[in-house]
Amino acid sequence: MDSALSGLNLEFLERVPGNRLIQTSLPNLWLYHTGTPTQPTAYLQSPGVCVVLNGEKEIRLGGQPQVLTPSRFVCYGVELPVVTRVSAATAAQPYIGLTLQLDTKLLADLVADMPPGEASEPLELPGVGTLTAEMSDAFARLLRLLDAPHDIAIMAPLITRELYYRLLCTPQGAALRAVIADDEPTRLVTEATHWLREHFAEPLDIASLSTMVSMSESSFYHHFRRVTSMSPLQYQKALRLAEARRLIYLGQANVATVARQVGYTSASQFSREYRRQSDVSPSADSA
């Protein structure tokens, strides 16, 4: 664990049986604990910052998986379909991770007060970066408030604002600024992601979608990948498979029916892509 985040009073998590997602008393802060590695899980990640305090976590976003260790963080500027799994955890050394959901209004107010950043092309979001000493210190002070609940109302907003500032000063902050500033290409891509989330089961026509958001096809593809780190097709596929796994876990329909509901015309293609994403077949999840 990073030195600034070591020695925190998080022993209560080690007494939590099994896998547990905990909403803390701190605004927008969640902790996740597990003593064993987990299977890949697909879900829609809201804007936020994820940090590993102990163990390792693998993240897949349409491309190659990336591994988060205690020295790394990932920042999501828009809602994204992600697949994650805890790759290193034991009973003696459990995985502990935190997610701080971002208050976009607070971020926008802070960006407005900051001097403009360099005009260079920002990194793609989500951005995986290395925790700075200042970020580690701010996270540590925020987590220590769990032992001082009477201080949360006053201190949590101050530390959160500082943490946002530290985040915006990282290379990943340039991409986050572009999202928060609501520049025209980012705004149009966000409109397209909203449409895809509502119509993910329908056939995808990139030309029609780019025309709908008033962009050329090449410009739309470039900015979509910059904002989401995925192509539109990868984004749609991730949405389909996340919803498929949710339906299968609920046991509301058989595998063939679920495949059709999320937009697949080929059950074999659905099974291949489901296994590729989740490392298990849909029939195994159904069982």
Side-chain angles (χ1 to χ4, degrees), residues 245-257:
R245 198 167 204 202
R246 186 187 72 85
L247 292 173
I248 287 173
Y249 268 52
L250 290 175
Q252 294 183 345
N254 61 39
V255 171
T257 301

Side-chain angles (χ1 to χ4, degrees), residues 83-242:
V83 179
T84 66
R85 74 177 184 94
V86 173
S87 52
T90 66
Q93 291 291 328
Y95 170 87
I96 302 175
L98 70 82
T99 297
L100 179 65
Q101 294 181 338
L102 294 176
D103 181 334
T104 53
K105 183 179 185 306
L106 176 59
L107 267 173
D109 291 342
L110 188 57
V111 168
D113 292 339
M114 293 175 65
E118 297 181 1
S120 58
E121 180 78 3
L123 299 173
E124 292 180 350
L125 276 181
V128 176
T130 301
L131 282 172
T132 64
E134 294 81 5
M135 286 181 68
S136 294
D137 179 63
F139 270 121
R141 285 183 282 114
L142 190 64
L143 287 168
R144 288 192 184 102
L145 292 177
L146 293 172
D147 290 330
H150 55 283
D151 291 339
I152 289 177
I154 300 299
M155 296 303 300
L158 299 177
I159 298 173
T160 300
R161 182 178 174 86
E162 178 193 347
L163 188 53
Y164 284 9
Y165 171 75
R166 300 299 183 188
L167 173 62
L168 289 168
C169 290
T170 66
Q172 291 71 32
L176 190 57
R177 283 192 191 205
V179 172
I180 296 302
D182 200 26
D183 66 277
E184 184 71 4
T186 300
R187 183 182 64 79
L188 296 175
V189 167
T190 302
E191 287 182 10
T193 62
H194 289 164
W195 188 90
L196 284 169
R197 289 199 295 274
E198 294 294 325
H199 303 273
F200 64 83
E202 300 176 13
L204 179 58
D205 184 335
I206 300 296
S208 297
L209 184 56
S210 59
T211 298
M212 185 181 71
V213 296
S214 303
M215 298 179 76
S216 70
E217 192 169 340
S218 60
S219 179
F220 173 68
Y221 190 91
H222 167 74
H223 288 290
F224 195 99
R225 181 172 286 279
R226 175 180 64 82
V227 172
T228 69
S229 82
M230 289 181 271
S231 70
L233 184 60
Q234 288 173 323
Y235 191 95
Q236 182 202 46
K237 183 186 298 183
L239 289 172
R240 286 180 169 184
L241 294 174

